[in-house]
Amino acid sequence: MTVAESASVRSPVPPLAARALGVGGSPVRDILAVTARPEVINFAGGLPAPELFDTEGITAAYHAVLAASPARALQYSMTEGEPPLRAALAARTTARGLPTGPDDLLVTTGSQQALSLLATALLEPGDTVLVENPCYLAALQAFGFAGARVLAVPGDDHGVDPEALEELVVRERPKLLYTVPTFQNPTGRTLPAGRRAAVAAIAARRGLWIVEDDPYGELRYEGERVPWIAAHPGAEDRTVLLGSFSKVMAPGLRLGWLRAPGDLRHACAVAKQAADLHTPTVNQLAAARYLADNDLDAHVARVAGVYRERRDAMLAGLPGALPEGSVWNRPEGGMFLWARLPEPYDTTALLPRVLRQNVAYVPGAPFHAGPPDRTTLRLCFVTQTPQEIGDGLRRLGEGLRA
């Protein structure tokens, strides 16, 4: 064979890793790509309302940081996070009933990265992970990429059933339980205080990590705040608490954090060094400056007031939009509402028909680790105005009846 002939022979490149082939993409992201047209009223995304961002305050914080210390703001930073931001986050966490020091925290590039770091630090291929049913979709992806075996814990409209949880822990010997106990994604439900205490006790008694994800907890519209699982006796040395600025400040900052026991936090820091070295310095310093110069709690209260009006608008319009026999919940906060249509409705099959009415939702099936409930759907109520919500629900009703 000549050199020219040899050059023309092409062998296939090595295949992708099995984990890349075995984990699907995000249906939410796929729907958002389809619904980017301005005429579409999009109940599918978990997008905060952009008109409520404190653009003036955030802009001023960036200006101040770049004026005062541009070399530091534009330089590499430490993996654990900028000290002033960690100090501010520790103070906020302590004020909410969980004593925390700056060294207890690791700043992450969004709380989604925290899930990936935890999966890297905790999970071996084949390890068992317990999740809620239904479960936050990107958590299923993160654990799937780690090669975990993911099992759903039975529950009800209030969340995980502690008795069912303990039975699964005894039988399956899982590594961790992942939960969004406050205003859960996708259902909007909140785990009651008694069940949180029971989950903490089971983790202590049976040997289990708890990953408590809390991106929505500050967006409360009614009712009393429920303490974190991490604050309950027995959970101190085995709970990882995740937080984020995405829903209360702005998602484009990509700022999250995890609070974890020392050995696990260190392992996550090592994993982060391999992933991105550190979260962008200028974003961290700007967030710290924003917290120093502004009242974030007052801003969140204003946002929550608007979101409550939008939740109420959706609750008022659902009876005329969904088929007779449908049921839905009334979340006390957060961003999402969960609905179940009567049999034989299939919300995945119905979505193309609804999209033709220029409105979108997320089918409930992808949020299930086990057999899906195809009659369910998730609606995000915070991105649109009450008038737009009413119009969108009218279109939704027309699409479902078509």
Side-chain angles (χ1 to χ4, degrees):
M1 181 181 295
T2 66
V3 172
E5 290 172 333
S6 177
S8 67
V9 176
R10 297 177 61 84
S11 296
V13 296
L16 296 176
R19 60 179 173 270
L21 298 173
V23 178
S26 167
V28 177
R29 296 293 160 186
D30 295 340
I31 292 170
L32 290 179
V34 173
T35 60
R37 304 188 313 275
E39 66 271 20
V40 175
I41 295 178
N42 187 7
F43 298 140
L47 306 178
E51 72 275 15
L52 299 179
F53 295 157
D54 184 6
T55 54
E56 182 177 334
I58 293 173
T59 300
Y62 274 95
H63 279 310
V65 165
L66 289 170
S69 53
R72 178 182 176 186
L74 300 176
Q75 186 57 277
Y76 285 113
S77 180
M78 58 195 302
T79 299
E80 290 77 8
E82 280 292 320
L85 179 58
R86 284 191 289 146
L89 293 172
R92 288 180 63 81
T93 305
T94 300
R96 284 158 176 75
L98 185 60
T100 301
D103 291 340
D104 295 326
L105 301 171
L106 171 67
V107 177
T108 58
T109 307
S111 61
Q112 182 61 40
Q113 185 188 52
L115 281 177
S116 296
L117 299 179
L118 288 165
T120 299
L122 282 176
L123 299 178
E124 304 284 358
D127 279 347
T128 298
V129 169
L130 301 183
V131 299
E132 299 163 310
N133 189 39
C135 176
Y136 172 49
L137 183 59
L140 297 178
Q141 289 180 301
F143 300 140
F145 265 113
R149 173 174 169 256
V150 182
L151 298 178
V153 181
D156 55 24
D157 291 342
H158 299 290
V160 166
D161 177 352
E163 291 186 6
L165 170 64
E166 186 153 26
E167 289 176 5
L168 272 176
V169 170
V170 171
R171 186 173 72 243
E172 304 293 344
R173 302 182 63 82
K175 206 70 160 294
L176 66 88
L177 165 69
Y178 171 77
T179 176
V180 185
T182 306
F183 313 139
Q184 193 237 17
N185 182 357
T187 65
R189 68 195 179 196
T190 294
L191 191 68
R195 293 197 189 188
R196 296 182 187 217
V199 168
I202 291 166
R205 186 164 59 246
R206 299 296 183 181
L208 180 71
W209 283 105
I210 302 169
V211 178
E212 181 177 11
D213 200 351
D214 187 37
Y216 312 104
E218 294 189 60
L219 296 174
R220 176 172 286 280
Y221 317 141
E222 58 190 52
E224 296 297 322
R225 180 181 177 273
V226 186
W228 287 306
I229 297 173
H232 284 79
E236 301 91 338
D237 63 345
R238 61 198 62 218
T239 302
V240 185
L241 179 65
L242 310 186
S244 173
F245 281 139
S246 291
K247 307 304 188 292
V248 297
M249 193 179 292
L253 298 176
R254 303 312 301 135
L255 285 175
W257 57 91
L258 65 82
R259 178 192 184 278
D263 289 345
L264 177 55
R265 188 178 64 254
H266 175 72
C268 288
V270 173
K272 182 171 172 62
Q273 290 170 359
D276 65 356
L277 297 182
H278 65 87
T279 296
T281 313
V282 65
N283 293 2
Q284 294 189 61
L285 292 176
R289 184 60 181 259
Y290 182 91
L291 292 173
D293 294 347
N294 300 273
D295 187 343
L296 179 59
D297 292 332
H299 170 70
V300 172
R302 288 191 294 271
V303 171
V306 174
Y307 286 177
R308 176 175 181 165
E309 293 177 355
R310 298 180 180 189
R311 179 208 61 178
D312 292 347
M314 180 163 282
L315 289 170
L318 281 176
L322 300 186
E324 184 177 353
S326 299
V327 294
W328 54 87
N329 62 336
R330 177 190 172 87
E332 294 184 332
M335 301 173 64
F336 305 109
L337 185 148
W338 187 249
R340 179 175 289 104
L341 309 188
E343 297 283 357
Y345 282 90
D346 182 330
T347 58
T348 302
L350 285 167
L351 182 60
R353 184 185 305 175
V354 170
L355 285 171
R356 287 196 287 271
Q357 301 293 327
N358 287 327
V359 66
Y361 59 78
V362 181
F367 294 98
H368 292 80
D373 183 346
R374 297 190 176 278
T375 68
T376 56
L377 57 91
R378 189 192 77 177
L379 297 167
C380 177
F381 52 79
V382 303
T383 315
Q384 281 77 30
T385 66
Q387 181 177 352
E388 291 168 337
I389 289 171
D391 189 20
L393 291 176
R394 177 185 56 78
R395 298 181 194 181
L396 175 61
E398 292 174 356
L400 292 175
R401 289 188 294 267

